Amino acid sequence: MNDILQGLAEAGRLVITLDPDLAEITARSLQVTVTATVIASAIGLPLGAWLAVNRFRMRRVVIALLNALMGLPPVVVGLIVYILFSRSGPFGVLGLLFTPTVMIIAQVIIITPIIASIAHQAIRELWADYHDLLISLNTTRGQRMRALLWDGRRALMTASLAGFGRAIGEVGAIMIVGGNIDNATRVLTTAIALETGKGNFALALALGFVLIALAIAVNLALHMLSRTERGSRW
Amino acid sequence: MVSAILRLTLDQVEIRRGGRCILGPISLTIEGEGITILLGPNGSGKTSLLRAMHGLERISGGKVSWQGPKDRVRARQAFVFQSPVLMRRSVLDCIAYPLLLDGVGKATARRRAADRGAEVGLGDLLENPANSLSGGERQKMALARALIRAPEVLFLDEPCANLDGRSTREIETILQSARADGTRIVMSTHNVGQARRLADHVLFLHDGLLRESASGCEFFTAPATPEAMAHINGDLLP
């Protein structure tokens, strides 16, 4: 209990004094995760819509696979990305291992199935409502997907936020591919793992509280900006 | 205006679902001008027939043929559903949506949608979300949306079911003026009074079969089948 109180106090001190190390790794956490979420949303949201409006032979299999991939173990993703980008791997020449870029790539792989899967669920219901109208209006597939993505945007924000939540708290993959290098690839989660290992519980807890506060702040900010849960809006 | 995509011909059209024949075989043609009313009790196949004509329903046999290339034929029709499909947008944007699909600029589309909306009496509600409308207002919104592309053929599936007298009258007025503008209207109803007021031509359906096809005045003065007679007189059909 004492450790937790100390952690809280330490967290308060770090935030109030705007500790430069804390600011740096917090900014890097945000940069990596927000970039990964944006890229994964750009892939996952249209993929979800596409799966909802198209009927093809392997559709059920693809959806089941997507749902299964939501539980992809980050450590395994990290290992595979590590092998692909290591000196002897196929992408070794790019020299991306132990950079924020490869951390973003690993996170995109982890959260794209989550975003696509939740987006598909949301859009499937909207498509059931819109089906007759959009068919009757002689829309193209692209127009249907655009209408569904736009009109379902508030539900889709939940999908993206779920992806963000998974990515910001993720440690296994980015530890492996990023290497937790000070001033280069250290982020909040890997720093927590390191400080815990060193027995520096107060600092680790402080970083943990900052991480939780960050996740809550991003969610609140987006909800306020998009004005969900307000009266007659969807 | 003589429509370019008519005439519409149905040749031995059949719809089977789950091994049961729910419609047909039906053969008929629709051409010329005016309002054709599909009359018949619930479950007689009115909705299925309308949807088959419009191309929403997969037909199990027979042929539906329009004049001209498929894309043009599809683009020149509109359909108003029994329960209007509400998009998660403002009333104005719902009405403007078909124009946006045609590539009309957003400002122009919204201006034309505002005019249409005002014509059907939704002028004060244009900025409200579509799901805040009442039943009658929803149907008027759907009508404005269907008419905004100036379709040659307009299908309506029981547009006045569940509406009170006043809303029904307003919708009938809109339909009469669309008819005067040259829109060919095909509409289903089980309301005999409404059929009497609007019909230039009547198609009477019973048990999935076309039992009678006659001009409105012929049909109501001298129905040829006992089922039609009973329906007009308000008797309950077996």
Side-chain angles (χ1 to χ4, degrees):
Chain A
M1 194 62 212
N2 206 21
D3 282 339
I4 294 180
L5 286 179
Q6 266 183 14
L8 263 179
E10 178 70 10
R13 191 189 67 77
L14 286 176
V15 171
I16 290 164
T17 58
L18 281 175
D19 184 85
D21 283 344
L22 175 74
E24 191 202 316
I25 61 173
T26 305
R28 190 172 299 115
S29 268
L30 267 182
Q31 179 218 329
V32 168
T33 302
V34 168
T35 311
T37 307
V38 169
I39 295 172
S41 297
I43 302 169
L45 299 181
L47 178 61
W50 191 85
L51 283 173
V53 301
N54 282 286
R55 294 289 174 272
F56 53 95
R57 189 190 289 268
M58 299 293 278
R59 181 165 171 274
R60 281 164 177 280
V61 179
V62 172
I63 291 166
L65 200 65
L66 207 57
N67 285 335
L69 287 179
M70 288 205 288
L72 213 56
V75 173
V76 179
V77 173
L79 177 62
I80 292 170
V81 172
Y82 182 96
I83 293 170
L84 290 177
F85 283 87
S86 66
R87 278 269 174 250
S88 57
F91 304 119
V93 286
L94 300 176
L96 287 175
L97 200 60
F98 306 130
T99 64
T101 308
V102 79
M103 294 157 74
I104 292 170
I105 292 172
Q107 290 202 334
V108 167
I109 295 172
I110 293 167
I111 66 175
T112 299
I114 298 175
I115 294 178
S117 203
I118 298 177
H120 169 246
Q121 298 291 335
I123 288 182
R124 198 175 52 174
E125 285 174 27
L126 195 59
W127 175 233
D129 285 353
Y130 280 18
H131 179 273
D132 282 354
L133 177 70
L134 294 188
I135 301 283
S136 164
L137 289 174
N138 199 26
T139 47
T140 63
R141 278 173 210 280
Q143 288 171 329
R144 287 172 206 169
M145 281 172 57
R146 234 169 298 149
L148 291 168
L149 286 170
W150 178 250
D151 286 5
R153 59 192 179 279
R154 289 190 173 79
L156 296 178
M157 194 181 76
T158 309
S160 290
L161 283 177
F164 175 84
R166 176 94 195 256
I168 192 90
E170 196 278 319
V171 59
I174 52 173
M175 181 73 107
I176 295 179
V177 300
N180 190 24
I181 302 165
D182 202 7
N183 294 321
T185 59
R186 182 164 298 168
V187 294
L188 282 168
T189 51
T190 55
I192 293 170
L194 177 72
E195 297 304 332
T196 308
K198 292 200 300 197
N200 205 346
F201 294 128
L203 183 56
L205 269 171
L207 293 171
F209 290 127
V210 171
L211 179 60
I212 292 170
L214 192 66
I216 293 174
V218 167
N219 275 272
L220 279 182
L222 269 181
H223 275 288
M224 276 185 214
L225 282 177
S226 66
R227 299 192 290 182
T228 45
E229 316 296 329
R230 289 258 182 105
S232 59
R233 301 186 74 100
W234 288 282
Chain B
M1 177 180 84
V2 174
S3 166
I5 60 170
L6 286 174
R7 69 190 208 229
L8 162 66
T9 312
L10 274 70
D11 183 25
Q12 297 292 316
V13 168
E14 257 187 307
I15 299 178
R16 280 186 293 272
R17 292 289 176 268
R20 205 167 58 92
C21 185
I22 58 168
L23 185 78
I26 282 184
S27 299
L28 59 86
T29 49
I30 286 179
E31 56 189 334
E33 295 186 350
I35 300 183
T36 294
I37 297 284
L38 287 182
L39 195 64
N42 289 333
S44 56
K46 303 188 293 295
T47 300
S48 302
L49 179 55
L50 278 177
R51 290 173 63 98
M53 289 179 184
H54 186 49
L56 281 175
E57 199 78 29
R58 196 166 39 79
I59 57 175
S60 325
K63 197 160 175 277
V64 176
S65 41
W66 295 83
Q67 306 298 313
K70 189 163 172 274
D71 256 351
R72 184 182 154 73
V73 165
R74 298 282 295 143
R76 304 298 300 139
Q77 311 172 36
F79 199 106
V80 174
F81 300 94
Q82 182 167 359
S83 42
V85 179
L86 303 172
M87 298 183 84
R88 297 180 180 183
R89 304 184 178 193
S90 70
V91 175
L92 185 63
D93 287 332
C94 276
I95 299 175
Y97 181 65
L99 290 180
L100 297 179
L101 293 176
D102 288 346
V104 177
K106 191 153 189 183
T108 316
R110 287 174 68 97
R111 202 176 55 243
R112 281 170 59 185
D115 292 345
R116 268 289 167 200
E119 277 174 39
V120 299
L122 294 175
D124 299 336
L125 301 164
L126 290 173
E127 294 303 327
N128 294 16
N131 73 339
S132 69
L133 297 179
S134 72
E137 289 161 355
R138 288 176 184 203
Q139 207 53 270
K140 282 188 254 174
M141 183 278 289
L143 253 175
R145 179 171 61 194
L147 288 170
I148 199 160
R149 274 173 164 174
E152 292 176 25
V153 181
L154 172 64
F155 295 102
L156 302 105
D157 186 12
E158 303 259 6
C160 301
N162 309 320
L163 296 188
D164 63 14
R166 189 176 143 197
S167 302
T168 302
R169 186 172 329 115
E170 286 168 347
I171 285 178
E172 287 181 8
T173 310
I174 299 167
L175 291 178
Q176 294 283 18
S177 85
R179 175 190 185 281
D181 292 342
T183 306
R184 186 72 172 87
I185 293 173
V186 182
M187 165 176 159
S188 73
T189 181
H190 62 261
N191 180 331
V192 177
Q194 182 168 56
R196 229 184 258 277
R197 287 192 295 275
L198 294 177
D200 293 306
H201 195 90
V202 176
L203 299 171
F204 180 73
L205 286 170
H206 188 237
D207 281 342
L209 290 172
L210 181 63
R211 302 302 296 270
E212 216 170 319
S213 167
S215 76
C217 110
E218 237 176 283
F219 179 82
F220 288 108
T221 47
T225 55
E227 289 88 353
M229 173 77 91
H231 191 76
I232 293 171
N233 292 336
D235 298 340
L236 297 176
L237 290 170

